[in-house]
Amino acid sequence: MSAEQIARLSDHQRERLLQEVLEKLLDSGIELPVDDEESARELLAAFLSQEGGAVRSDDVLRPSVPLETYVRDVLALLADDEETAGVVSEAVDELPEETQMFVDPITAAVVLGALVAFLQTKVDFKISRKDGKTEFEFAVAKKATSDRLVTKVIEAVKNVTVQ
């Protein structure tokens, strides 16, 4: 599934698709290292800040940008990545007809959860909380072997989250 095909889906279909993709990623064994929306924003901001220029957690999924824009862009990111493209395709194949579709209202937490799950296919995280502060450490994971890949992932996530 390409970004163009995702763009042709209705908002309703994209929302359902993102929810299904996140569920499939979690069912595949990925565990989210964060337990709330703010922690996810902080983790993504810390990750994005690695390559020059600090990104504040408030800049991740700005309220001034319609949430549907983020849904579409996250789906495109997941569909274009070799490690998550199959999950997106499988979820598309299982989507019911739109007239038979029920979708919980999409939230920023679903979008953030999908982004964190995507990052876990590329990067290992270590989160430590001490004296009311949260610190994040990132290490290249799995098949990722170069700083170039990390830079590419940072740019891809930045293009989706900081608009």
Side-chain angles (χ1 to χ4, degrees):
M1 169 149 268
S2 68
E4 291 143 10
Q5 290 170 308
I6 289 169
R8 282 188 236 124
L9 296 174
S10 71
D11 290 349
H12 194 69
Q13 289 171 311
R14 282 191 294 263
E15 289 174 7
R16 174 66 184 263
L17 181 59
L18 185 61
Q19 291 170 355
E20 290 296 319
V21 168
L22 178 57
E23 279 183 33
K24 286 184 177 303
L25 289 171
L26 295 176
D27 287 346
S28 74
I30 290 177
E31 292 185 31
L32 297 182
V34 293
D35 54 5
D36 61 23
E37 189 176 316
E38 187 54 37
S39 296
R41 287 178 193 273
E42 289 173 7
L43 183 140
L44 288 165
F47 178 74
L48 295 172
S49 295
Q50 292 182 100
E51 288 289 319
V55 174
R56 299 177 335 191
S57 62
D58 293 353
D59 292 334
V60 176
L61 301 195
R62 294 178 183 179
S64 60
V65 176
L67 196 53
E68 178 49 41
T69 300
Y70 292 119
V71 170
R72 183 191 62 236
D73 293 349
V74 169
L75 282 170
L77 174 68
L78 294 168
D80 287 342
D81 183 75
E82 67 182 41
E83 292 184 52
T84 54
V87 175
V88 176
S89 291
E90 184 181 325
V92 165
D93 292 343
E94 295 173 2
L95 273 180
E97 293 295 320
E98 188 168 13
T99 56
Q100 299 175 347
M101 196 179 291
F102 174 78
V103 178
D104 291 328
I106 199 77
T107 63
V110 172
V111 176
L112 291 164
L115 282 166
V116 171
F118 166 75
L119 281 182
Q120 285 188 280
T121 69
K122 309 287 181 211
V123 178
D124 288 324
F125 311 129
K126 182 177 179 188
I127 301 173
S128 50
R129 292 177 175 89
K130 194 187 266 187
D131 300 326
K133 292 179 109 179
T134 304
E135 293 183 10
F136 302 96
E137 290 180 42
F138 304 97
V140 176
K142 301 175 181 106
K143 297 178 194 171
T145 57
S146 71
D147 290 339
R148 195 173 120 230
L149 178 61
V150 172
T151 300
K152 182 179 172 184
V153 173
I154 288 171
E155 283 305 309
V157 173
K158 189 178 282 188
N159 288 339
V160 170
T161 61
V162 184
Q163 300 187 21

